[in-house]
Amino acid sequence: MKSIVFALALAWGCWLPCEAQAGIEALRLKPGEVLPQVDGKLDEAVWQRAPLFDQFVQFLPEDKRPAPMRTTVQVLVLDDALVFGIRAYDPAPELIRAPLSRRDKVRRDQDFVSVVLDPVGQRRSAQFVRISAAGVLADGVFSADDDSEDFAPDFDLQAAVQRLPDGYSVELRWPLAALRFPYADGVPWRLMVTRSMPREASTLVVSAPLTKEALSFIAELQPLEGLGGLVEQVRERSFLSLRPELTFRSERESDPAGSSRKRELSLGLEMKWRPRADWVIDATLNPDFSQVELDTPQLAGNTRFALSVQEKRAFFLESTDVVGQSQSEQNEQQQSLAAFYSRAITDPDWGLRATWRGAEAEATLLSLRDVGGGQIRRPSAYATQSYAQQGRSQASFARGRMQLNVGEQALGLALLASQRDYGRDGINQVIGSDFALPVGSSDLLRGHVLASSTTAGFDANGQAQRIQAESGHKFWLEWRHRTEDWNNTAQLEEVAPRFANDNGFVSQSGFRRIGMNVHRRLPSQSLAPLGEWSRFQAHELELQLHMTQSQTLADAPLGVLGGELIERQVHPGFWLAAARNSGAWGYLGLDQQRAKTGGRLHAPRTLNLGLESNPNAWLTFVSAELSWGQRLDVEADRLGRGASLLLQAKLRSPLLLGWWLELEQQLGQSYVDRPGGGRSFTERNAQTLAVLHLSAQDSLRAIAQGTWYQRHEEPSLLGAEDSSSHLSLVFQHRIGLSRMLSLGLVSARERPADRRNTELFAKLSLAFQP
């Protein structure tokens, strides 16, 4: 507490005013004026009157440089929408990369323009949409605290692109019903327009004066001027959307004991109601939450802790910026706040969610009745245990966040409460608070404190039972420092042995960890020649040092002594960015690790290398990650020579009839050798994803993936072998977010249990606005 008070006092004297920014002027259309058609042509007369903004600057690969190509943006204000007109000039239009792809798969290997819009105006979070040169959309929410973008949320937008002899033009209609803004006392809306040009230098230009030392990508959003009294005129408007969904499913399961068949026809309903500008009510009744798209397999055979998985279900995505939920696939050590992890909810009967956004505060409340069938994870210092959720439960979560403004800076404070009620089998409750505090223009202090109480436990056979109340806490504090020369972080974390959050994601407990990342940025420079024909130009080069140390907290029920070293990491390394959006990194793993309490402290030594690039228009992405050396075999509690390799490749190719093919391949392998020779264990996974785009609305998607794990038998270790294979084939006809028809086949097999599952399904969803 003293450190927080000190930081607040320090920050009070360190506020640095921001320079006035040039805004983007919008044109408010008068009643009776002809509205523009969203066709991408920008040929209506109204576009001749709209103010034009063209003061773009380069952000990537090197900031503070003039934009290499001209980009212009205009904004029209309608009674029910904002319409953006963007012109992307290009002296070599034949080099524009414009493949058909899935929604939310518009990355920097494609030409696109993007609109980043913050109608709250506080630059804490922003909605964004990317429109590729082929007219494909990718949208989501950007969070300033984590400096991360989340592509999971989808908004009901309309966009069109027109290819031109000197580039392309884009029209984007953003309905006000898809925006979230305060009812009263709001500050000016803010935005930024960006453009990606994936040529040799893979350039990204921005309309705002953004530099790489900014604490987040949305730190310099510009005012959107010319709205007039729009907010006051539309804040009372109510928007209601009903989305019924009809699903037919035929399923066959078999194992050595027999087989069974099941057919099911279900009707579900999702509702979104915005009674006024600052409130959104979401409801779901009997939703079909089955995964149509398989999750990417992860190497986990030598991993002791649970791995998080990205959320894809629409109901959970309305207020991710308020919840503070991390959507990226990363472990608990890297997450700032995972107090609510929606993947903990498996199969709800119903769910209700309310979100409120004010000028200086925001809040969300949700509750769902979960049928069960999922996993309940309980962590410890050396592993995460998983138990089957055998019965129904009620999952509830609430979080409120306020903004205390001092000058141009702001202190964000939040309170949260979480509850998982299993009825007679007990209850898990969590309360807590978190904060984010900018200190000057280069530093950010964040942290949270959570406390839990649990009467839901499990016996030695994994059966749920009510237990005597157990309590625990979780504390996390991070300092981030970012300047032109440095990008540093320091973290302190403590999780008590009996801390549990069944609605959240906690992979490890019973430890105290301290960590630091020191990144020294070096200026752009030419490195040593590669080959006889070129020189390798590094746009960014960082020298890095990562250090962490984790120690146990005393845990008598599990026989864990306090102060035992779990892991110490020392990783000196480098990272560089170069042409074609390429990146390369490497570090030495100079670690100490312990596999179990009371076990030997090992000193593995590894060389870790990585590379990624967007080579050309058809091979849009390749990446490779390698870890090699003396690695810890967790189950055997010993070191052995081994390696872990992950390869990825993405291809885009035009076909006849205007069709496009997306092909993505992932291969992974991990192994550790025995001291006397031969393998101790081997793990492999593979996934092939192919999408045939028949049109902008129709696609045929196939996913084939498999995993295989084998541990060789030894005098002190039992041998084991298991594998799984999955196949998914889905045809989808989709028009925006309102109409979708899916027809599919999913087949799965697991060995050695020899369990098989085959499923045929058809799903139809429509949206109505009464």
Side-chain angles (χ1 to χ4, degrees):
M1 178 62 69
K2 290 183 179 179
S3 62
I4 296 177
V5 172
F6 173 76
L8 286 169
L10 176 65
W12 187 272
C14 294
W15 303 121
L16 298 179
C18 297
E19 296 181 3
Q21 297 172 327
I24 294 181
E25 184 76 23
L27 174 65
R28 182 74 185 272
L29 296 191
K30 300 177 182 178
E33 285 196 77
V34 178
L35 301 181
Q37 296 292 322
V38 182
D39 53 14
K41 296 180 180 180
L42 304 179
D43 55 357
E44 291 89 356
V46 67
W47 290 113
Q48 305 301 317
R49 297 194 296 110
L52 186 144
F53 182 94
D54 63 355
Q55 301 173 38
F56 284 75
V57 295
Q58 183 172 296
F59 178 67
L60 294 174
E62 297 178 72
D63 58 2
K64 306 171 188 175
R65 292 176 177 266
M69 302 180 195
R70 189 181 185 223
T71 308
T72 67
V73 58
Q74 298 169 280
V75 186
L76 303 178
V77 181
L78 283 56
D79 287 340
D80 62 347
L82 300 178
V83 180
F84 296 84
I86 303 172
R87 185 75 162 82
Y89 292 88
D90 198 320
E94 69 278 3
L95 298 180
I96 292 176
R97 299 185 186 181
L100 284 179
S101 62
R102 291 161 289 160
R103 187 180 181 117
D104 288 339
K105 297 300 180 180
V106 180
R107 299 294 194 259
R108 288 193 56 220
D109 59 347
Q110 304 169 41
D111 279 84
F112 69 77
V113 296
S114 173
V115 177
V116 183
L117 184 59
D118 175 15
V120 178
Q122 299 286 359
R123 290 175 284 191
R124 299 190 299 264
S125 65
Q127 300 172 244
F128 69 85
V129 58
R130 293 178 179 179
I131 309 100
S132 77
V136 180
L137 299 183
D139 52 359
V141 173
F142 200 98
S143 171
D145 287 350
D146 293 316
D147 195 23
S148 62
E149 54 190 8
D150 176 10
F151 285 91
D154 291 329
F155 310 116
D156 199 357
L157 311 172
Q158 183 183 4
V161 174
Q162 185 74 22
R163 296 292 295 271
L164 301 169
D166 59 349
Y168 63 98
S169 57
V170 176
E171 264 179 298
L172 167 66
R173 187 179 188 275
W174 201 319
L176 299 179
L179 295 174
R180 310 292 180 246
F181 52 91
Y183 179 79
D185 302 323
V187 298
W189 292 11
R190 291 181 175 272
L191 84 161
M192 179 172 65
V193 178
T194 76
R195 178 186 174 189
S196 169
M197 294 165 279
R199 307 298 192 272
E200 180 69 22
S202 190
T203 304
L204 183 73
V205 298
V206 296
S207 63
L210 184 67
T211 61
K212 292 177 181 177
E213 54 262 35
L215 286 175
S216 80
F217 188 69
I218 60 174
E220 300 294 341
L221 298 184
Q222 306 157 274
L224 176 58
E225 301 169 349
L227 297 181
L230 176 69
V231 175
E232 290 74 14
Q233 295 173 21
V234 302
R235 64 185 181 182
E236 296 282 0
R237 290 184 187 172
S238 175
F239 299 95
L240 175 64
S241 173
L242 299 176
R243 186 175 179 178
E245 184 175 80
L246 181 65
T247 304
F248 170 76
R249 197 177 303 280
S250 177
E251 188 174 1
R252 181 179 184 271
E253 294 184 349
S254 66
D255 57 31
S259 64
S260 62
R261 294 179 180 270
K262 181 175 63 175
R263 291 185 177 180
E264 181 182 26
L265 182 65
S266 64
L267 179 64
L269 176 67
E270 291 199 8
M271 181 201 76
K272 186 178 291 289
W273 176 39
R274 199 190 81 171
R276 65 182 204 180
D278 54 344
W279 278 97
V280 177
I281 309 297
D282 289 274
T284 184
L285 179 65
N286 192 32
D288 177 41
F289 275 0
S290 62
Q291 287 299 109
V292 175
E293 182 174 348
L294 300 176
D295 294 319
T296 302
Q298 304 179 65
L299 292 171
N302 198 40
T303 300
R304 296 167 290 176
F305 306 111
L307 300 174
S308 63
V309 183
Q310 186 178 21
E311 180 59 85
K312 302 173 183 177
R313 299 168 293 182
F315 173 80
F316 296 104
L317 305 178
E318 166 60 40
S319 56
T320 55
D321 57 318
V322 184
V323 168
Q325 174 178 327
S326 176
Q327 296 291 337
S328 57
E329 296 180 11
Q330 53 188 347
N331 61 37
E332 172 70 4
Q333 183 177 343
Q334 297 171 305
Q335 289 179 323
S336 60
L337 180 67
F340 181 72
Y341 177 58
S342 53
R343 284 291 189 125
I345 313 298
T346 307
D347 185 17
D349 286 328
W350 58 267
L352 188 64
R353 181 182 201 137
T355 305
W356 171 79
R357 288 178 174 84
E360 302 295 339
E362 54 202 4
T364 190
L365 169 66
L366 63 89
S367 187
L368 302 98
R369 182 69 170 175
D370 194 9
V371 174
Q375 295 292 311
I376 301 171
R377 295 179 172 87
R378 294 295 172 82
S380 64
Y382 288 95
T384 303
Q385 299 297 324
S386 292
Y387 304 95
Q389 183 190 338
Q390 301 159 353
R392 296 176 182 270
S393 65
Q394 189 75 28
S396 303
F397 179 83
R399 184 173 188 248
R401 182 171 63 177
M402 68 181 68
Q403 201 81 355
L404 305 177
N405 294 315
V406 180
E408 293 294 328
Q409 303 286 358
L411 166 67
L413 292 174
L415 297 175
L416 64 88
S418 176
Q419 177 175 289
R420 193 68 173 262
D421 189 347
Y422 301 97
R424 65 180 184 181
D425 291 329
I427 190 171
N428 169 249
Q429 297 175 315
V430 177
I431 61 171
S433 176
D434 60 277
F435 75 96
L437 172 67
V439 182
S441 61
S442 303
D443 297 85
L444 179 68
L445 189 66
R446 298 189 299 157
H448 66 252
V449 178
L450 305 176
S452 72
S453 175
T454 305
T455 58
F458 300 88
D459 62 20
N461 298 318
Q463 298 298 308
Q465 63 176 8
R466 180 179 288 271
I467 61 174
Q468 186 176 355
E470 296 178 339
S471 61
H473 66 271
K474 183 176 187 292
F475 169 80
W476 180 86
L477 184 67
E478 180 190 66
W479 164 73
R480 184 196 305 169
H481 175 73
R482 185 175 295 178
T483 66
E484 187 174 1
D485 298 324
W486 296 96
N487 182 11
N488 303 330
T489 60
Q491 296 182 342
L492 176 63
E493 184 175 16
E494 180 177 292
V495 185
R498 301 278 80 81
F499 178 81
N501 182 3
D502 291 351
N503 285 338
F505 183 78
V506 184
S507 64
Q508 187 180 10
S509 67
F511 72 94
R512 181 181 294 119
R513 176 185 293 127
I514 185 170
M516 177 178 294
N517 292 291
V518 180
H519 295 179
R520 178 66 168 92
R521 291 171 167 170
L522 301 179
S524 174
Q525 54 188 287
S526 294
L527 301 182
L530 292 182
E532 300 178 356
W533 53 274
S534 70
R535 294 179 65 84
F536 188 76
Q537 180 71 29
H539 303 303
E540 291 186 70
L541 178 60
E542 286 187 358
L543 300 180
Q544 302 179 340
L545 178 61
H546 166 76
M547 297 180 293
T548 64
Q549 178 167 303
S550 302
Q551 291 180 284
T552 59
L553 301 176
D555 187 358
L558 295 182
V560 179
L561 299 176
E564 187 175 62
L565 181 64
I566 304 172
E567 183 176 39
R568 179 181 292 131
Q569 295 181 342
V570 179
H571 294 168
F574 72 93
W575 173 85
L576 63 86
R580 300 185 185 276
N581 201 28
S582 300
W585 61 93
Y587 66 88
L588 293 175
L590 310 176
D591 302 339
Q592 290 179 289
Q593 295 179 347
R594 199 185 308 271
K596 60 184 180 181
T597 183
R600 180 182 175 185
L601 185 62
H602 302 281
R605 296 292 183 263
T606 58
L607 173 65
N608 304 269
L609 300 172
L611 173 68
E612 65 180 20
S613 182
N614 302 142
N616 52 50
W618 63 271
L619 182 58
T620 60
F621 178 77
V622 293
S623 73
E625 297 182 41
L626 171 67
S627 177
W628 174 84
Q630 289 291 321
R631 305 178 67 217
L632 175 62
D633 183 341
V634 173
E635 188 174 348
D637 192 15
R638 68 188 179 208
L639 292 180
R641 187 175 299 277
S644 177
L645 177 66
L646 179 63
L647 303 174
Q648 290 181 290
K650 300 180 181 181
L651 296 88
R652 306 286 188 270
S653 178
L655 304 175
L656 298 176
L657 305 177
W659 295 358
W660 275 85
L661 175 65
E662 280 187 88
L663 182 62
E664 300 184 3
Q665 180 69 58
Q666 173 176 304
L667 298 172
Q669 176 164 319
S670 178
Y671 72 89
V672 174
D673 289 337
R674 292 185 299 223
R679 293 288 166 84
S680 180
F681 79 87
T682 305
E683 179 184 14
R684 302 189 188 100
N685 68 38
Q687 184 186 70
T688 300
L689 183 150
V691 184
L692 180 63
H693 294 277
L694 309 176
S695 68
Q697 295 80 33
D698 301 284
S699 64
L700 183 65
R701 185 187 70 224
I703 302 177
Q705 70 181 41
T707 63
W708 180 75
Y709 173 79
Q710 182 182 49
R711 176 168 288 279
H712 295 274
E713 186 171 355
E714 301 179 36
S716 59
L717 286 172
L718 294 177
E721 182 175 351
D722 60 73
S723 63
S724 67
S725 61
H726 293 76
L727 173 67
S728 170
L729 184 64
V730 178
F731 168 79
Q732 190 172 86
H733 173 75
R734 182 172 185 170
I735 300 179
L737 296 177
S738 59
R739 287 181 286 175
M740 183 173 64
L741 171 65
S742 298
L743 304 172
L745 165 68
V746 179
S747 176
R749 184 174 183 178
E750 296 180 6
R751 295 185 179 92
D754 198 23
R755 286 192 295 264
R756 302 188 184 193
N757 178 279
T758 303
E759 179 183 291
L760 291 170
F761 68 88
K763 183 183 298 187
L764 175 66
S765 62
L766 302 171
F768 301 95
Q769 295 182 346

